[in-house]
Structures are given as C-alpha cells and as structure tokens.
Amino acid sequence: MKYIFILSIISLFVSCYQVKQNCNYFKTGTYKSEFIINEVLYTSNFARSSNIQISEFNGIIDTVSVHWVNDCEAIFKTFNPKKRAEEKDLRLKILTTTNNGYKYEISTAGDTIKLLGQVTRVSRRSMRWSLPILKKLQKLHSSLTNDSILGISN
C-alpha cells in the first residue's frame, strides 16, 4: 500500500509537469535552421518580422507571409508561388524552446507528414539586417511594393 501511495504521488508530479515554452521570443529575429531529409543535413537562413519571413535555401530566396495562430503555431503562405506545391500553406509548430532557439515540426497544411528541425537565433534584430535584399525582393515580388507591409522604413 505504501508503494502504491508513493507511485501515485510521483505520477501526479510527473503528469502535471509541462515544458515551459517562450515562443513569443522567436516571432521576430534572424535565424539558422537545420533539418534532416533522407539522412542528409540541410541548412537555411531566415529573417522574420511579425508578419513576413524571408529565407535563403541553396541560394534561392523565398518570401512568405506569417500568420500566428497562437503563441507557438504559425501558418506560412508563399508570395507569388511558381509551382503548385508552393500554393499550399505551411504550418509551423514550435515544440520546445531554449534560450537561443527552438525545435519545430513543419508540414503542408492538411498533410500528416511532418518535418522536424531545429532553429538557432543568429540575431534578435529582424528584417533590418538586410535592407538591400529587401529592396531586391520588392522588385521581384510586385505584390510587395509597400514598405509598410514589410514593417521597415528607410
């Protein structure tokens, strides 16, 4: 009986423990992301403001709008998709956070296959890190001609 009581108390404490997440800290900034596909490690770099994310992967720059569903989940929508696969929204879910990064899962909206990855903060600064790149992107993406959409100013 004594052991059952002790096990009950231990299971009560273990089941009530929740990992503290500070997802709001990672809504803006500059980051490096690492993920594995078919046992190959891939790396991308990105900068995120509260409503836009610009990423670089294998020399290709991509821009997505960011809509935060809650503190730890966001939906990404590609500006000017060029392929059918890019038309589908991506859903990001931050699983755990540390002082300088987070682990995440990302999937195409409605898909059950999830990609796991890890992000490390490079800088707390968001989009202002590279105004020249943003200006080039504005030319490429005609839908992004208004600086107020990007949240930047000269």
Side-chain angles (χ1 to χ4, degrees):
M1 187 68 169
K2 180 179 169 182
Y3 295 112
I4 293 174
F5 177 73
I6 292 172
L7 286 174
S8 320
I9 297 296
I10 291 172
S11 68
L12 178 66
F13 283 113
V14 171
S15 65
C16 292
Y17 178 76
Q18 291 183 347
V19 176
K20 186 177 180 184
Q21 294 179 314
N22 186 8
C23 299
N24 286 325
Y25 181 68
F26 299 104
K27 287 187 176 182
T28 62
T30 305
Y31 305 92
K32 174 183 174 183
S33 176
E34 295 179 332
F35 51 94
I36 297 174
I37 300 175
N38 296 329
E39 300 180 13
V40 177
L41 177 66
Y42 293 93
T43 302
S44 71
N45 297 297
F46 64 94
R48 182 187 300 144
S49 72
S50 60
N51 62 351
I52 232 170
Q53 178 173 300
I54 299 173
S55 58
E56 180 275 327
F57 177 69
N58 284 342
I60 298 171
I61 295 175
D62 198 13
T63 308
V64 297
S65 67
V66 179
H67 171 70
W68 289 95
V69 178
N70 60 44
D71 286 347
C72 296
E73 292 185 46
I75 295 181
F76 299 139
K77 187 172 199 64
T78 303
F79 285 110
N80 300 324
K82 293 176 180 56
K83 300 175 185 172
R84 183 174 290 257
E86 293 174 350
E87 292 176 3
K88 293 184 177 183
D89 296 346
L90 293 176
R91 178 176 283 280
L92 167 78
K93 182 175 183 179
I94 298 175
L95 303 173
T96 60
T97 62
T98 62
N99 288 339
N100 67 338
Y102 60 87
K103 291 187 179 183
Y104 68 90
E105 68 179 26
I106 194 162
S107 63
T108 305
D111 199 348
T112 57
I113 299 172
K114 296 177 180 10
L115 174 71
L116 298 175
Q118 183 171 317
V119 166
T120 305
R121 180 185 293 281
V122 175
S123 170
R124 180 85 170 118
R125 295 171 52 197
S126 61
M127 297 299 206
R128 298 184 190 280
W129 62 276
S130 185
L131 216 46
I133 289 177
L134 289 176
K135 295 298 181 186
K136 288 179 184 177
L137 283 169
Q138 285 179 326
K139 290 178 184 175
L140 291 173
H141 301 290
S142 60
S143 64
L144 297 177
T145 56
N146 184 352
D147 282 349
S148 65
I149 293 173
L150 296 174
I152 61 171
S153 59
N154 291 330

